[in-house]
Amino acid sequence: MREMYCFSAPGRTEISGNHTDHQHGCVLAAAVNLETVAQVTLNDLGRICVRSEGYAPVEIDLRDLTVREEEKNTTAALIRGVAAAFAQRGAKLQGFDAEVRSTVLPGSGLSSSAAFEVLMGTICNELFYDRKLSAVEIAQIGQYAENVYFGKPCGLMDQTASSVGGMVYIDFADPAEPVVKKLNFDFAKAGHALCIIDSGADHADLTEEYAAIPGELKQVCAFFGKEFLRQIPEADFFTALPGLRHRVSDRAILRAIHFYQENTRVKKQEQALREGDFGTFLRLVTESGRSSWMYLQNITPAGATEHQDVAVALALCDTLLQGRGAYRVHGGGFAGTVQAFVPLNMLDAFKSGIERVLGEESCHVLSIRPQGGIRVK
């Protein structure tokens, strides 16, 4: 009987830094106590075979690890991309069968795709590459698979938070070598629960909405002859606004303003948490949410009027919290989830109030998981 191995990778929550990572900015993020796990046995087929609960089996042939256009936006693309990255590094890959189950629901805003990428990367690193790669390098492989093979121009935050574990401050000024600092902070000891609220809308067919954000910011950068906003001093951006408005859309300008303000906010939030100043942290969470709605404009898909699920979820948080705690859009936006920091003495009423409107189990009370992607046995 073949030996069985077990692996686990967590979902992640974005604590601060909404759409800053793809502009080489700063973020606060944390692994959470929802996970994707795999039971793995090696095979002699030269194929990676993945069976996930509720989904059709997926197989990729290790003899062909080139990008396939027909696989874009599929699980097969992520598996092939991770395998290709290890093969490029000289890993001696073997076929394996993986039985996968997950409590990180797709479209939940907790990054099920990053958890899956980190899971695949951890399997390959442990079984075929002598554990040579760091957690950050595994994250970079996950981003490569998602960018090049899956076709989504994501940043590196999701994968890094899942792979490293715990709560982390990440500076992506140099994405090849991001600065990752661990943070130890207990929200419960500060009298608050971390909640993720499912708005009821999923991310299907929204790739163009997400891609438009870095796409428009690239237009701003091109005006300055740069690739990323982090390379452009904020003062230079505002000085150039009269000419810039004739070259790019006003939405692109507003999104750039969000980046500059949000990047500064992340640094202030990290400092506040390190100093135990939770009141300042909460105030900045509220500012972040306002900026995402007003400047970044990732609450409602363009033109949507009948269905504005994330906006309704935010309005519920505002009504139920009555000026206490804090709330904001969570992750990519447009669909999915919002995040709330809820005083513990309001938690039961808050949760029931959310679920009365959005449905049972729409409000998830989470805790931070200290481990990232790991081999369990």
Side-chain angles (χ1 to χ4, degrees):
M1 185 173 181
R2 295 182 184 272
E3 183 176 0
M4 180 178 289
Y5 309 91
C6 186
F7 297 87
S8 168
R12 72 93 186 96
T13 181
E14 169 197 288
I15 303 296
S16 182
N18 199 217
H19 282 277
T20 53
D21 59 334
H22 53 68
Q23 295 305 307
H24 293 193
C26 302
V27 301
L28 282 174
V32 297
N33 61 324
L34 299 175
E35 63 179 348
T36 301
V37 299
Q39 292 182 323
V40 174
T41 54
L42 300 180
N43 66 45
D44 300 320
L45 304 174
R47 296 188 181 94
I48 296 176
C49 309
V50 175
R51 294 174 179 82
S52 301
E53 288 180 344
Y55 297 92
V58 177
E59 288 191 5
I60 67 122
D61 191 330
L62 291 172
R63 294 173 299 180
D64 179 10
L65 296 178
T66 56
V67 177
R68 294 188 176 187
E69 288 300 316
E70 69 274 15
E71 281 185 352
K72 292 290 177 73
N73 294 297
T74 69
T75 300
L78 296 179
I79 300 169
R80 197 180 303 275
V82 170
F86 274 92
Q88 291 161 14
R89 287 164 171 78
K92 304 299 182 183
L93 297 173
Q94 298 180 47
F96 62 85
D97 299 296
E99 298 288 338
V100 176
R101 56 183 175 81
S102 182
T103 53
V104 189
L105 300 177
S108 67
L110 298 169
S111 203
S112 57
S113 59
F116 183 78
E117 293 153 18
V118 169
L119 184 72
M120 291 294 113
T122 303
I123 291 169
C124 292
N125 192 45
E126 288 277 337
L127 300 183
F128 312 125
Y129 206 49
D130 297 326
R131 305 177 185 173
K132 292 178 183 178
L133 298 188
S134 67
V136 171
E137 289 170 320
I138 291 173
Q140 290 168 329
I141 283 177
Q143 182 197 28
Y144 168 78
E146 192 155 346
N147 288 175
V148 177
Y149 282 72
F150 189 84
K152 182 178 178 181
C154 68
L156 187 56
M157 177 189 67
D158 295 355
Q159 295 85 354
T160 304
S162 176
S163 191
V164 173
M167 181 157 51
V168 289
Y169 167 84
I170 315 169
D171 188 334
F172 290 113
D174 180 2
E177 296 185 19
V179 175
V180 180
K181 300 178 183 177
K182 285 268 194 174
L183 271 160
N184 293 312
F185 190 89
D186 190 330
F187 293 121
K189 287 184 178 178
H192 286 69
L194 168 62
C195 296
I196 298 295
I197 297 118
D198 187 349
S199 70
D202 64 34
H203 294 84
D205 302 322
L206 288 173
T207 297
E208 288 186 8
E209 292 279 6
Y210 298 122
I213 295 176
E216 290 178 8
L217 295 179
K218 280 189 178 297
Q219 295 169 11
V220 174
C221 294
F223 179 87
F224 295 91
K226 302 294 184 181
E227 288 189 74
F228 305 100
L229 283 176
R230 189 72 180 275
Q231 300 169 317
I232 304 164
E234 184 176 0
D236 291 359
F237 166 80
F238 279 103
T239 298
L241 269 184
L244 184 60
R245 287 195 68 198
H246 295 292
R247 297 281 292 275
V248 304
S249 69
D250 282 345
R251 188 173 73 169
I253 288 169
L254 291 169
R255 285 174 163 173
I257 291 171
H258 165 81
F259 167 79
Y260 287 114
Q261 293 185 357
E262 186 81 342
N263 207 47
T264 298
R265 206 160 19 240
V266 171
K267 297 172 185 177
K268 291 179 179 178
Q269 285 177 287
E270 185 218 4
Q271 181 180 357
L273 289 177
R274 291 196 186 279
E275 294 176 353
D277 185 357
F278 196 58
T280 294
F281 170 80
L282 289 177
R283 176 178 59 79
L284 292 168
V285 170
T286 299
E287 287 184 11
S288 172
R290 188 181 299 118
S291 179
S292 291
W293 204 329
M294 190 164 141
Y295 297 139
L296 185 61
Q297 299 180 37
N298 67 331
I299 306 303
T300 302
T305 55
E306 184 174 353
H307 294 288
Q308 298 190 2
D309 307 83
V310 174
V312 169
L314 289 167
L316 285 172
C317 291
D318 183 51
T319 302
L320 292 166
L321 287 173
Q322 301 177 345
R324 297 183 63 191
Y327 62 93
R328 62 193 279 276
V329 68
H330 179 253
F334 301 111
T337 59
V338 304
Q339 178 187 76
F341 293 91
V342 182
L344 293 175
N345 62 3
M346 299 178 71
L347 181 59
D348 290 344
F350 178 85
K351 191 173 189 300
S352 62
I354 291 291
E355 295 186 346
R356 185 179 69 83
V357 179
L358 300 183
E360 290 186 17
E361 299 185 359
S362 57
C363 181
H364 305 278
V365 182
L366 302 179
S367 61
I368 294 174
R369 165 172 149 161
Q371 305 91 1
I374 56 171
R375 176 176 168 178
V376 180
K377 66 176 184 179

